Amino acid sequence: MDKINSNTRLFMKAVALFSTLCSIEFGSVVSASACTGISLTSADGCYIQARTIENAQEPLPSHWVVIPRGHKIQSFTPTGRNGLTFEAKYGVLGLTVVREEFIAEGINEEGLSAGLFFFPDYGSYQRYEPAHNATSLGDLQVVAWILASFSSIDQVKQAIDGVRIIGLDKSAVVHWRIGERSGRQVVMEIIDGQVHFYENTVGVITNSPDFMWHLTNLNNYVNLRPGSAPDFRLSHFTLRPLGGSSGMLGLPGDATPPSRFVRAAFFRATAPTQPTGEQTILQAFHLLNNFDVPIGIEHPEGKAPDMPSATQWTSAIDLTNRRVYYKTAYNNSIRCIDLAKIDFSRVKYQSHPLDREQRQPIKYLLVE
């Protein structure tokens, strides 16, 4: 019994740490989520989904995990690891946060990708009831369930009513992005216990409010244009642009979810199409560099933790070629894992830290 209680306490401690994801402390904890997702398609048809993930209070334990076919997974509930049990039909490569069971972003061998994004104050799941443990699926393991079980968005939609998605911590509500290599992408949100799917043709996701609110809010920026604004005669004065991209004057630059959604939508929409998937991956990283959150602006003066950035890691997944790329706050070198080189029928379950050493390598050049 003591061992069970100890494991449960460790689990709840991990969930509590996850609830700080995308949060900032100003005397008390104030939700200030900052995770940003975009999608791009290359000229040769490669479909890319990329995102950032933030934690502004302390380094976020993060790993990459390999789940082989046939691997059995049991969901946690608020009382321990006693929820839904399922077996991996498809091999999975995932990037995790806090615990190796909590996949925040990943892809399976069929090219289906999914990720979770913080969704405070707007999302609300079904109430947890121990009598329904056999069908209860913790919100932080929904991505693992999707990737291990399905090969298409429609399959997810058909199966979702067969599980009860429940919160592992009331302060860590999330919503999800699901994409397939056809280029189709949906946002899944649970509000008042009801699951909603939205086709995401704008190709962007952030955090609260709900997805449809963000789409409506885009209409407030109908005046923005790529390029420079023309000269404008105002009474006896002529107004002239002071620099390039003046057509984007008014684009919000802060780190709130509505502002990031608008900024990401315009950056994505105006980005030139790249010839290949690999070039599009690099473009995605460049675009998401604009959403890195400097640690200094997130805290009162003198209260910032010792971290290089609130943006803990950035990933870009090529759904067409089934490749996962990532970089971290500690090492901006881009690393890649190719699912085509993994035999999911033979590989063992494994978990590895995103950074074996939290240090940015620097190459010194010699001048002769």
Side-chain angles (χ1 to χ4, degrees):
M1 180 64 71
D2 288 341
K3 183 177 181 181
I4 293 174
N5 289 338
S6 175
N7 288 339
T8 300
R9 283 194 297 270
L10 288 172
F11 162 68
M12 295 311 295
K13 183 178 180 181
V15 171
L17 175 58
F18 182 85
S19 71
T20 68
L21 180 65
C22 306
S23 297
I24 303 169
E25 187 174 17
F26 291 98
S28 61
V29 176
V30 179
S31 294
S33 43
C35 308
T36 303
I38 61 172
S39 61
L40 299 164
T41 303
S42 65
D44 63 359
C46 294
Y47 178 58
I48 310 299
Q49 288 189 173
R51 58 95 51 82
T52 68
I53 198 159
E54 277 77 19
N55 180 23
Q57 296 195 31
E58 58 187 308
L60 187 67
S62 299
H63 289 68
W64 59 269
V65 299
V66 176
I67 301 176
R69 292 182 217 135
H71 183 72
K72 291 185 178 179
I73 303 169
Q74 184 167 35
S75 173
F76 290 105
T77 74
T79 57
R81 194 195 295 262
N82 53 12
L84 176 74
T85 299
F86 55 98
E87 184 175 301
K89 180 178 180 180
Y90 303 105
V92 175
L93 191 288
L95 306 180
T96 72
V97 290
V98 181
R99 292 185 62 106
E100 63 187 52
E101 296 92 348
F102 300 162
I103 297 178
E105 190 73 29
I107 185 174
N108 69 19
E109 58 184 315
E110 292 296 308
L112 187 71
S113 180
L116 60 81
F117 292 75
F118 203 47
F119 190 43
D121 301 324
Y122 287 81
S124 50
Y125 312 127
Q126 294 187 64
R127 186 178 63 183
Y128 169 62
E129 297 179 7
H132 296 288
N133 272 355
T135 57
S136 292
L137 176 62
D139 55 349
L140 307 184
Q141 291 172 276
V142 168
V143 172
W145 174 71
I146 289 173
L147 298 181
S149 307
F150 308 108
S151 61
S152 71
I153 291 170
D154 286 338
Q155 288 179 6
V156 177
K157 294 176 73 171
Q158 291 167 7
I160 200 69
D161 289 337
V163 298
R164 293 172 58 90
I165 297 176
I166 47 99
L168 298 181
D169 183 271
K170 64 181 180 180
S171 61
V173 179
V174 299
H175 60 173
W176 298 266
R177 173 181 66 177
I178 310 169
E180 54 190 32
R181 52 176 147 178
S182 66
R184 183 186 178 193
Q185 178 190 148
V186 299
V187 173
M188 184 176 82
E189 296 178 342
I190 303 177
I191 300 174
D192 295 330
Q194 299 297 312
V195 181
H196 303 272
F197 288 92
Y198 305 104
E199 298 291 329
N200 188 0
T201 55
V202 74
V204 171
I205 184 172
T206 57
N207 313 103
S208 302
D210 59 89
F211 181 70
M212 295 306 293
W213 184 97
H214 284 293
L215 294 186
T216 301
N217 184 53
L218 281 176
N219 292 298
N220 286 319
Y221 300 90
V222 66
N223 59 298
L224 299 186
R225 297 287 187 278
S228 295
D231 294 356
F232 178 70
R233 184 73 178 175
L234 179 65
S235 185
H236 301 294
F237 300 94
T238 297
L239 306 179
R240 296 182 174 86
L242 293 176
S245 72
S246 56
M248 286 289 176
L249 276 171
L251 186 71
D254 60 85
T256 63
S259 294
R260 286 183 288 104
F261 192 100
V262 172
R263 196 159 69 252
F266 276 92
F267 286 174
R268 175 191 178 274
T270 57
T273 300
Q274 299 298 308
T276 68
E278 187 170 274
Q279 289 170 290
T280 305
I281 287 286
L282 297 178
Q283 181 185 53
F285 279 112
H286 282 301
L287 291 176
L288 288 177
N289 284 342
N290 293 279
F291 298 89
D292 279 356
V293 180
I295 197 67
I297 70 168
E298 303 289 358
H299 299 267
E301 188 174 356
K303 299 293 185 180
D306 184 18
M307 295 193 301
S309 174
T311 303
Q312 302 268 314
W313 49 266
T314 304
S315 68
I317 298 180
D318 183 337
L319 281 70
T320 304
N321 293 304
R322 298 174 302 148
R323 293 173 181 161
V324 176
Y325 301 77
Y326 74 88
K327 65 177 185 176
T328 72
Y330 298 93
N331 186 344
N332 272 270
S333 301
I334 297 172
R335 285 147 278 179
C336 176
I337 304 169
D338 189 346
L339 272 70
K341 297 182 179 180
I342 302 173
D343 184 347
F344 285 104
S345 67
R346 298 171 59 94
V347 72
K348 302 296 185 182
Y349 176 89
Q350 53 195 278
S351 174
H352 305 277
L354 295 191
D355 292 310
R356 292 195 177 276
E357 181 182 10
Q358 291 184 331
R359 183 180 65 85
Q360 175 64 52
I362 298 175
K363 183 176 182 179
Y364 291 89
L365 305 179
L366 296 177
V367 178
E368 298 179 355

